[in-house]
Amino acid sequence: MTTTPPARRSVGTARTRVEGRDKVTGAARYAAEIPFTGLAHGWLVLSTITRGRIRGIRTAPVLDMPGVLTVLHHGNAPRLHTDYVGLLGVPPDPAACVFQNDRVPFAGWPVALVVAETPEQAREAAEALAVTYEEEPHDTALTAGHRDAYVPDGGMPAETSKGDLEAQLATSPVVVDEEYTTPEEQHSMMEPHAATARWDGGRLEVVDSNQGAGWVQGELATLFSLDPSTVRVRSEHIGGGFGSKGLRAHQVSAVMAATALDRPVRVVMSRRQLFSLAGYRSPTVQRVRLGADPDGRLRALEHRSLNQTSQVYEFVEPSAGVARVMYDAPAHRTAHHLVRLDVPSPTWMRAPGEAPGSFAIEVALDELAERTGTDPIELRLRNEPDVGPVSGLPFSSRNLAACFREGARRFGWPDRDPRPGLRREGHWLLGTGTAAASFGAGAAPSTAQITAEADGSFTVRIAAADIGTGARTALTLIAADALETTPERVRVRIGDSDFGPAMIAGGSMGTRSWAWAVTTAARELRERLIPGAALPSDGITVRSDTTEALRTLTQKERHSFGAQFAEVAVDTTTGEIRVRRMLGIFAAGRIVNPLTARNQLLGGMTWGISMALHEEAVRDHHTGAHYAPDLAGYHVATHADVPHIEADWVDDHDPDDPVGIKGIGEIGIVGAAAAITNAVWHATGTRHRNLPLRPDRILTAAQKGTGGPTMDA
């Protein structure tokens, strides 16, 4: 076999998405668009109470409605095997294990599935289904000092501690002791959750929108007590996930209905249903205590975070985890606490833990800089740790200082007057702020197959998921270089559980994990190819597994880092905040595709603007349900909110890392809200510790006279 060497390396060159034309022309089919013969449609019925029991479901009138095929509920649904530990060592969320009992643990709990010939018939019948309940008192309010707060088990350590915190705080010349809060946030991806289930020749096939086909395949096989080889999950194109697209009620109920009717059944969640069934970022109450010398060097650091979880499932929003990486002190304490409430289960959401945690710690650092009269960048650099503050492990690379130096130069930071409330343009107060960012750069075992085809091309098969990040294109470039060919000669097929185990698209570990598997397979394939020799008609295929290789990787603190900069204008009459410009400089390992990498970083920063100014899912604690659970009531940033935003990176090399790739999907949001909040202080002289920065909060703080110039309210 002969191959054409590439004129230059593909990794590091800007490439448009290999599937881009299919997406913009409509040729790419998403989970809810793929046709099936005999397709039926299911619509979930959700509880209208917050806590209690189902007393009765009147199915007879609904079954007589046009097109209705069946109604599944706790009285007739198959029993599921739920006593197991799944991905990342956690059990399945009972909200996905539908119709197993008559309990209702939160508003929006799935109580039935109506299946009909058309989606319109299914929805009409679902809205007509009469369900009666026995209602019980509920509690949905997360408050600081909640009497039922507890220390969770499992996962990362809930608490870490070294040194005598109270003694160091007592002797510190400068102390910051403040509380910071973040609200509930929703994923709000463009494509809702959708799945079609069907039986074909004794094999269950599920066409889905998920972040890991193998993940969902394994969960469904266990829940329904099936041999994993008899279950196939496909998820080729995904319109956003952000952590929410794992095992959910729509896949499980679709499988139940397809089994009961022996025909394909599709279940698509509505936008409103996503607010209770797709997970969300928990609200947090965080306390940060810092003790420092007059020059800003830390003596004590404490970061405690409280978040809510449901009564049926434990999920920790690890907000204090960021302090375990970013800053050290002789006395150092972090803690995560939980409160079980009558609310839906939270889940992973873009930069889980780091996004809300960086808001608290980075605003607290800015407050310390103010009180010590230290430049905010200089204060952070003075507190750069030599090793992991908690782990004690060396950093694989830590180029945060380089990010700040480059960012400060490009943003014009040296010309900044540090005094707040001085810059003004008419009724606008102007200010600038900064914050640091970090996110872990891990990897997980994955397998990949590569076939050298008889025509000289290559086919890569890996159960990866492209949730909009450009992963399919990145893997094409990586494979081309590893195979010493051009991207045009490489076809990458993803999103199919039949391709074997692979890491999910999550934790900024996807591309890093998949690239390792692909390059390993490519290296073995090159060794087996004989130059000039003809290949068999079905080619030559090799399969890799990185499990053992990962075990030999040197233990280090591996993270992406970044420096965020923001300039804001605050309207003194209305309290409106406008972000005039943002700059993010990141150290994120080897950049595979600059085009999609910049896209990911800008997307994260835009979400940071959204987090700072808009996003807030508000719950009515009397009813336990959300106010306006849709994109009319839940506001997100739009292009009008982002007039000028830039993202770039510095060199970031780890000589011990055989892959060199770090995740960039989540680092862009970390620190962004803090940079904006710090800029608002610089503009107005008033500190804000509660997100989002709504106009009413800006005006109220000004009217209280908490510092800075008087607003013209």
Side-chain angles (χ1 to χ4, degrees):
M1 176 185 180
T2 59
T3 59
T4 303
R8 59 176 180 170
R9 304 288 288 182
S10 298
V11 169
T13 61
R15 297 286 183 122
T16 57
R17 297 169 190 255
V18 295
E19 80 284 10
R21 179 175 293 275
D22 286 346
K23 285 185 173 179
V24 299
T25 60
R29 296 288 185 93
Y30 290 81
E33 301 173 327
I34 299 173
F36 290 93
T37 302
L39 181 65
H41 300 267
W43 193 273
L44 286 163
V45 179
L46 308 187
S47 69
T48 56
I49 67 166
T50 297
R51 181 185 174 101
R53 291 185 178 274
I54 302 169
R55 295 182 58 186
I57 300 177
R58 294 189 61 212
T59 60
V62 167
L63 289 170
D64 288 337
M65 294 179 69
V68 174
L69 301 170
T70 190
V71 178
L72 295 175
H73 52 83
H74 72 278
N76 62 7
R79 299 301 94 183
L80 301 173
H81 172 63
T82 60
D83 186 17
Y84 71 94
V85 174
L87 183 77
L88 303 180
V90 298
D93 185 345
C97 307
V98 291
F99 319 140
Q100 297 301 290
N101 55 59
D102 63 355
R103 290 295 308 173
V104 174
F106 58 76
W109 176 262
V111 298
L113 179 79
V114 176
V115 186
E117 296 287 355
T118 70
E120 294 80 12
Q121 290 171 333
R123 180 169 188 170
E124 182 180 6
E127 292 174 348
L129 184 67
V131 182
T132 56
Y133 302 94
E134 179 182 325
E135 202 164 353
E136 300 172 1
H138 63 260
D139 179 10
T140 61
L142 179 69
T143 56
H146 196 289
R147 66 181 185 277
D148 294 329
Y150 70 96
V151 179
D153 295 325
M156 67 167 61
E159 298 179 322
T160 65
S161 181
K162 68 177 182 182
D164 190 332
L165 185 79
E166 299 303 332
Q168 289 285 3
L169 285 170
T171 58
S172 292
V174 184
V175 173
V176 172
D177 183 352
E178 300 294 349
E179 182 179 281
Y180 305 85
T181 68
T182 61
E184 177 181 327
E185 294 180 80
Q186 291 283 331
H187 292 83
S188 303
M189 71 296 296
M190 291 180 67
E191 179 202 19
H193 294 55
T196 303
R198 67 169 182 166
W199 287 93
D200 183 14
R203 196 174 194 217
L204 174 65
E205 181 181 38
V206 177
V207 177
D208 188 25
S209 176
N210 63 56
Q211 294 180 230
W215 172 20
V216 175
Q217 177 247 11
E219 299 275 349
L220 291 176
T222 304
L223 285 174
F224 288 93
S225 301
L226 300 171
D227 186 321
S229 66
T230 65
V231 181
R232 182 187 187 190
V233 175
R234 294 190 292 124
S235 183
E236 185 178 4
H237 297 291
I238 306 154
F242 309 118
S244 75
K245 285 188 173 174
L247 183 74
R248 298 290 173 197
H250 66 297
Q251 300 128 325
V252 178
S253 59
V255 173
M256 286 181 172
T259 303
L261 297 173
D262 194 24
R263 61 186 288 188
V265 176
R266 174 171 294 157
V267 179
V268 181
M269 289 192 198
S270 71
R271 181 65 60 183
R272 284 176 169 258
Q273 289 172 343
L274 296 181
F275 273 70
S276 62
L277 292 183
Y280 58 96
R281 196 194 308 278
S282 169
T284 70
V285 179
Q286 301 177 60
R287 185 182 181 187
V288 177
R289 294 198 292 171
L290 304 175
D293 291 326
D295 64 356
R297 297 183 191 275
L298 289 171
R299 291 186 180 185
L301 183 155
E302 181 183 42
H303 189 173
R304 288 188 288 161
S305 180
L306 176 71
N307 75 271
Q308 69 187 32
T309 192
S310 71
Q311 296 284 1
V312 296
Y313 185 76
E314 183 176 277
F315 182 85
V316 179
E317 180 73 27
S319 302
V322 67
R324 300 175 184 180
V325 174
M326 291 303 293
Y327 306 107
D328 202 359
H332 194 285
R333 181 188 298 169
T334 66
H336 297 119
H337 291 173
L338 282 180
V339 176
R340 290 191 181 274
L341 298 173
D342 304 308
V343 296
S345 303
T347 194
W348 300 286
M349 184 167 173
R350 198 172 193 176
E354 275 84 354
S358 66
F359 164 70
I361 193 71
E362 292 298 319
V363 173
L365 261 291
D366 207 69
E367 299 198 47
L368 180 62
E370 174 198 353
R371 297 180 194 187
T372 60
T374 308
D375 177 81
I377 295 177
E378 177 59 29
L379 180 121
R380 287 167 172 82
L381 296 181
R382 286 179 187 175
N383 288 288
E384 274 282 274
D386 296 323
V387 297
V390 172
S391 70
L393 293 173
F395 289 96
S396 62
S397 62
R398 186 180 170 104
N399 289 315
L400 179 60
C403 293
F404 269 120
R405 284 194 294 268
E406 177 64 11
R409 182 188 67 81
R410 290 174 55 168
F411 194 74
W413 190 265
D415 299 328
R416 174 184 189 259
D417 188 329
R419 295 173 297 172
L422 296 182
R423 291 177 60 199
R424 192 167 187 141
E425 290 182 1
H427 58 91
W428 295 98
L429 291 170
L430 308 182
T432 54
T434 190
S438 76
F439 197 83
S446 297
T447 63
Q449 303 171 51
I450 303 181
T451 300
E453 308 288 0
D455 64 0
S457 65
F458 297 89
T459 302
V460 178
R461 294 176 177 85
I462 185 168
D466 190 335
I467 58 175
T469 60
R472 183 187 276 102
T473 306
L475 291 176
T476 300
L477 303 182
I478 290 164
D481 280 1
L483 293 165
E484 298 182 353
T485 187
T486 62
E488 291 73 23
R489 296 168 73 93
V490 176
R491 292 183 298 274
V492 173
R493 296 183 58 194
I494 64 173
D496 191 329
S497 63
D498 276 359
F499 295 160
M503 176 58 187
I504 66 171
S508 284
M509 293 193 288
T511 300
R512 174 172 163 79
S513 302
W514 305 324
W516 201 329
V518 168
T519 53
T520 301
R523 182 171 59 249
E524 182 180 341
L525 181 58
R526 288 203 322 271
E527 292 173 355
R528 293 180 57 182
L529 294 176
I530 302 174
L535 294 177
S537 59
D538 58 351
I540 296 178
T541 299
V542 299
R543 181 179 183 273
S544 66
D545 186 336
T546 62
T547 303
E548 290 302 320
L550 276 167
R551 290 175 181 161
T552 65
L553 185 64
T554 305
Q555 291 297 303
K556 291 184 177 181
E557 288 272 7
R558 287 185 167 85
H559 304 269
S560 294
F561 291 96
Q564 302 269 19
F565 296 83
E567 179 179 13
V568 304
V570 183
D571 190 314
T572 59
T573 302
T574 66
E576 177 189 2
I577 299 170
R578 292 188 180 179
V579 178
R580 289 195 168 186
R581 60 188 177 110
M582 279 195 77
L583 170 66
I585 302 293
F586 302 95
R590 184 162 60 118
I591 300 300
V592 178
N593 184 351
L595 186 64
T596 53
R598 185 170 281 106
N599 173 272
Q600 281 296 292
L601 295 171
L602 294 178
M605 294 170 67
T606 303
W607 200 335
I609 295 173
S610 201
M611 180 181 180
L613 304 184
H614 303 299
E615 295 197 45
E616 183 178 23
V618 181
R619 193 173 294 276
D620 181 348
H621 296 303
H622 295 289
T623 67
H626 285 110
Y627 291 105
D630 51 42
L631 292 182
Y634 182 79
H635 296 166
V636 297
T638 67
H639 285 295
D641 297 297
V642 190
H644 186 71
I645 182 168
E646 294 181 80
D648 210 338
W649 44 83
V650 298
D651 289 340
D652 186 34
H653 176 61
D654 174 8
D656 296 330
D657 192 332
V659 181
I661 296 169
K662 296 181 179 180
I664 54 173
E666 306 185 76
I667 184 69
I669 189 175
V670 182
I676 293 167
T677 303
N678 293 337
V680 169
W681 168 80
H682 188 232
T684 65
T686 302
R687 284 287 175 192
H688 292 272
R689 305 181 181 97
N690 306 289
L691 292 183
L693 304 175
R694 302 191 312 253
D696 63 301
R697 286 176 169 168
I698 300 296
L699 293 177
T700 299
Q703 290 166 356
K704 287 181 178 179
T706 55
T710 303
M711 305 283 272
D712 301 331

